[in-house]
Structures are given as structure tokens and as C-alpha cells.
Amino acid sequence: MARQKGLTLKILVGLLAGLVTGIILYNIPTNYVTDTILINGVFLVVGQLFLRAIMMMVVPLVFISIVNGASSMGDVKKLGRIGLKTLVFYLITTAVAISIAISIAYVVNPGVGLDMSKVVTSEPTIGESIPLAQVIIDIIPSNPINAMAAGNMLQVIAFALFIGIGLSALGEKTKDVANMFEQLNELMMKLVSYVMEIAPYGVFCLIATTFSTLGFEAMVPLLKYMMTVIVALIFHAVVTYGGILKIFTGLSPLRFFKKFLPATSVAFSTASSGATLPITIETIEEEIGVSKNIASFTLPLGATINMDGTAIMQGVATVFISQVYGIDLGFSAILTVIITATLASIGTAGVPGVGLIMLSMVLQSVGLPIEGVALIMGIDRLLDMSRTAVNITGDAVCTTVIAKTEGEFNEEIFNSDSENALN
Ligand code: ASP
């Protein structure tokens, strides 16, 4: 795909420039130009246009790509094997992620000695978390059109899987329909490549807007908590993902992370795995070298059910809240947290802030006060952005491992320095 030269670099520059601009805007007195023309004018419009342009593609892309992936898999057995492998991989990495988070949290003790009066609390408006049984029942849509309209990804995936499996079973008979889905997939990827062209500007505007309103003073008393989450996120990305890549695929983790940067940057800017999905798919196919068959199946699934970064935040937050409230978590409570958070990630939608809502379910599972969520609510945005970047990196690493073990990986693409690369 012919991309603009140095797109990755441009996106990165957009991100950093947005960060600096946002922080400057936050620190200077507001006036007509900064407030009306920039923050609530140009930045808002361009940022939201970009965000909507990618979100516009999510439902059709997930539907089309899963139908396509499932139907081109050839037989149901292969699909089942890959599906199972993916699921196991996603669940295990999430459990590892939260275990790392809890361990690091117990080394740092972010909530010990915290002066509660210094913590700026926001009003706890905690949303309802859904019980696991309902999450499972809800996988099958009673009305697939409703599911698409509501953007319920698990349901869209389930419906698409049925169609894909049906198409592959019918083979020659429905060749035209299968071809149509293939062409629709091409079309969607073309649209994604258009949006990628404006990504540097979109990312700049989104980041500038976010940072111009982030209350940095509120972060100070919670800095220890924030740093613990960030250290755990980095540790998981470097050690767990880096190790998995090296061991299972032999690929260079550094090269992988570098080539995946456009997607990571968009995830950071949007704080939504779901919204980033079109970019994630494009990057993993065009830059990393995973086949369409695998990527179109495992990535939408990952963006919906695999949330390692979110689990890390929940692990640290649980320890933090227990320490602030002076409640000791025993071993069995910690185990409960690991299991609950791992399963909760299946029901966590890939949109901004949902991880925090699901945290209330994790806290409840071990009898911690859910009001604790209010302590960290005000400063969650920055962590949301960071954990979303890790969430989609986890999807990408798993996808690459599956592709490699299934012989669906093009090493030439991975090793080539595309025009777009960060050299
Ligand atoms: N924003 C995260 C995501 O989209 C979910 C969360 O942790 O709130 O992956």
C-alpha cells in the first residue's frame, strides 16, 4: 500500500507536538484565541472528525473482516483450533498482566501513608457492571441488526462467525457472496488508508485537547499510584510481550514495537481499542506481515475481549484502594482479583473509561468499598490512554504468534523497511 513517506514519524511528531501544545495551553490564561478558536474550535473539530472517521469503519470492518476470515479459513476445525488458541492466549496474558501489576504494587505500596485529604475526589458516578453470566448470554445477538446499530462487538463477531462458517461450508455454491466479502474487505482497507493520511493531524488535535484540560495538580498526591501503573504497563510490554515474541516467533521485539507505533499512537490518543481497530488491522497486515485470514479474526476479537493494560490498572488500583482504606487483602482475595479481572476483561468494551467501571466489579468481588473508584477517577484519563496502547499491543502480539505458528506470516514484510517506517 502506497503510504505517505515517513507516516509513522509524522504521527509521532503529531503526538509529541500535541502533548506540548496541550500542556502549554493548560498553563497559560485562557483567552478567546486559545479557548474558542483553538481548543473548542480547530482542535475539537479536526480531532473529532478523525475519531469519527475511524469509528465509522469499526462495525462494518469487524463484520466484514470476520466473515472473510472465517470463510477463508477453509474448514471449521481450523477455525476452532485458531479460535481456541487465541482465547487461551488472551486469557493467560491477561492473568499474567494482573499478577505482574499486583506484585509491583506490593513492592511500591502506592496507597500506604497517603493523606486522604490531599486527594481530590470526584463524585462517584459508578456505572453498572454486568454479571458474567449475562456477558456470556449476550454473546449471541437476538437481533444482529440491533447489535450492529448498538455497536455491540461481541454480538457482531458472533453473527459474523456464523455467516463465515456457513459460507465456508457451502463452498462453491456461495462463491460469489464470499468474493463479495473479500472485495468489501479490500474496500474497507482502502478507506482505512485514507484515514491514515490525516492521522498525524488527528492525533495532534486529540492529544492537544486532552492535555489542555488535564488537571495536573490533581495528579500529584496520586503520582505514586500512577507511576506504579505505568511501570507495570511498561514491564508487561517489554518483558512479557518482548519475551513471547522472542520465544514463540524469534522476531525482534524492538522492530515489532517500532513498526507497530502508528497503531500504538492512535490508541494512546483515542483511549479506545475499538476505535483504533481499523488502524491496528492495517498496521499488522501492512507493516508486521500477518496474513489477512488471521488478523481479520484475532484482532477484532482481541479489541473486544483482551485488555491486559486495563487488567494492570485494576490490579494496581485494587491494592492501592485496599491500602488507602487500611484493608488487608489475603492470598485468596488476591487470587479472586486475578480471576475476576481476567474474566472482566471479556466484558470490558474497548472504549474510554470502561475499565474503571469494571473495576467496581473487581473491588466488589473482594469486599472493598467501590467508593474507592472515586479516588482515582479524576486522574484516570492519562492511564486510560496508556493502558489502551498496551491493550492493543497485546492483541497484536498474540495475532503475530498465532500467524507465525499457523504459517500465515510474511517475514519479508516484517523485515522490509517500508516507506512509512521510522528509520
Ligand atoms: N479504554 C480501554 C480500551 O479501549 C478500556 C479501558 O480500560 O477503559 O482498551
Side-chain angles (χ1 to χ4, degrees):
M1 195 172 291
R3 268 192 190 174
Q4 242 175 305
K5 202 169 172 60
L7 184 63
T8 306
L9 185 64
K10 277 190 169 178
I11 295 178
L12 219 58
V13 170
L15 198 144
L16 290 177
L19 222 124
V20 173
T21 311
I23 293 175
I24 292 175
L25 286 174
Y26 179 78
N27 284 297
I28 58 172
T30 50
N31 55 52
Y32 180 75
V33 175
T34 59
D35 214 40
T36 313
I37 299 195
L38 292 180
I39 299 173
N40 293 307
V42 182
F43 294 172
L44 180 75
V45 172
V46 177
Q48 288 303 311
L49 281 178
F50 169 66
L51 194 59
R52 279 174 179 242
I54 39 176
M55 285 176 76
M56 168 181 84
M57 286 181 283
V58 173
V59 170
L61 183 67
V62 168
F63 180 66
I64 293 165
S65 76
I66 294 239
V67 169
N68 210 26
S71 68
S72 58
M73 212 71 91
D75 65 301
V76 179
K77 253 203 214 138
K78 185 174 176 196
L79 184 66
R81 186 182 68 234
I82 293 176
L84 193 70
K85 253 205 253 183
T86 311
L87 204 65
V88 169
F89 196 109
Y90 281 155
L91 288 179
I92 291 180
T93 47
T94 308
V96 169
I98 186 164
S99 308
I100 289 173
I102 292 176
S103 311
I104 295 181
Y106 272 116
V107 173
V108 179
N109 292 322
V112 171
L114 184 78
D115 182 356
M116 294 275 287
S117 62
K118 277 203 200 126
V119 178
V120 188
T121 55
S122 12
E123 277 302 303
T125 38
I126 299 154
E128 285 279 301
S129 57
I130 311 155
L132 189 64
Q134 197 57 44
V135 171
I136 295 168
I137 294 169
D138 281 344
I139 291 176
I140 306 289
S142 52
N143 180 339
I145 307 296
N146 260 351
M148 288 186 197
N152 187 324
M153 283 312 146
L154 266 190
Q155 296 190 343
V156 175
I157 289 173
F159 181 57
L161 272 178
F162 278 118
I163 296 199
I165 290 169
L167 279 178
S168 118
L170 287 167
E172 273 300 303
K173 252 192 200 163
T174 48
K175 209 177 93 231
D176 290 342
V177 182
N179 277 344
M180 184 191 76
F181 273 104
E182 225 177 285
Q183 289 174 6
L184 282 174
N185 206 33
E186 288 289 325
L187 179 62
M188 292 312 297
M189 294 321 287
K190 187 76 198 156
L191 299 191
V192 178
S193 77
Y194 291 150
V195 175
M196 286 300 277
E197 302 291 321
I198 59 154
Y201 313 100
V203 164
F204 170 80
C205 292
L206 284 176
I207 294 276
T209 316
T210 307
F211 277 82
S212 69
T213 52
L214 272 187
F216 296 100
E217 296 85 32
M219 293 181 184
V220 175
L222 294 169
L223 224 50
K224 222 169 151 190
Y225 159 74
M226 295 181 75
M227 289 318 293
T228 314
V229 175
I230 289 170
V231 166
L233 288 174
I234 294 173
F235 185 91
H236 187 62
V238 174
V239 179
T240 314
Y241 295 155
I244 288 173
L245 277 173
K246 206 77 226 138
I247 293 165
F248 289 101
T249 67
L251 300 171
S252 151
L254 192 66
R255 189 173 181 79
F256 180 92
F257 292 135
K258 250 176 152 178
K259 293 197 100 179
F260 193 59
L261 256 179
T264 327
S265 313
V266 173
F268 184 76
S269 326
T270 59
S272 168
S273 316
T276 315
L277 185 61
I279 317 283
T280 316
I281 295 181
E282 208 249 10
T283 312
I284 211 87
E285 288 176 5
E286 306 294 331
E287 299 298 318
I288 305 288
V290 172
S291 82
K292 236 187 221 104
N293 286 353
I294 300 288
S296 61
F297 174 59
T298 56
L299 287 177
L301 196 65
T304 313
I305 68 164
N306 186 43
M307 311 263 162
D308 292 0
T310 302
I312 286 174
M313 175 280 286
Q314 290 171 342
V316 176
T318 307
V319 174
F320 172 74
I321 290 165
S322 76
Q323 290 177 339
V324 169
Y325 283 91
I327 301 168
D328 244 349
L329 288 178
F331 180 72
S332 71
I334 290 175
L335 207 62
T336 310
V337 169
I338 293 175
I339 295 169
T340 318
T342 303
L343 295 177
S345 77
I346 298 177
T348 308
V351 291
V354 183
L356 210 58
I357 295 170
M358 297 306 273
L359 174 64
S360 60
M361 178 171 130
V362 177
L363 295 178
Q364 246 168 350
S365 74
V366 287
L368 285 173
I370 49 172
E371 290 74 32
V373 176
L375 289 179
I376 52 176
M377 207 176 244
I379 49 97
D380 190 59
R381 178 68 188 188
L382 194 61
L383 295 181
D384 196 2
M385 298 161 87
S386 317
R387 67 180 179 252
T388 306
V390 171
N391 285 346
I392 65 147
T393 307
D395 306 339
V397 168
C398 166
T399 297
T400 306
V401 171
I402 306 267
K404 199 86 174 48
T405 54
E406 291 289 330
E408 301 254 8
F409 187 82
N410 187 335
E411 203 126 0
E412 243 168 63
I413 297 182
F414 185 76
N415 288 325
S416 73
D417 282 320
S418 75
E419 291 230 298
N420 151 58
L422 188 66
N423 296 314

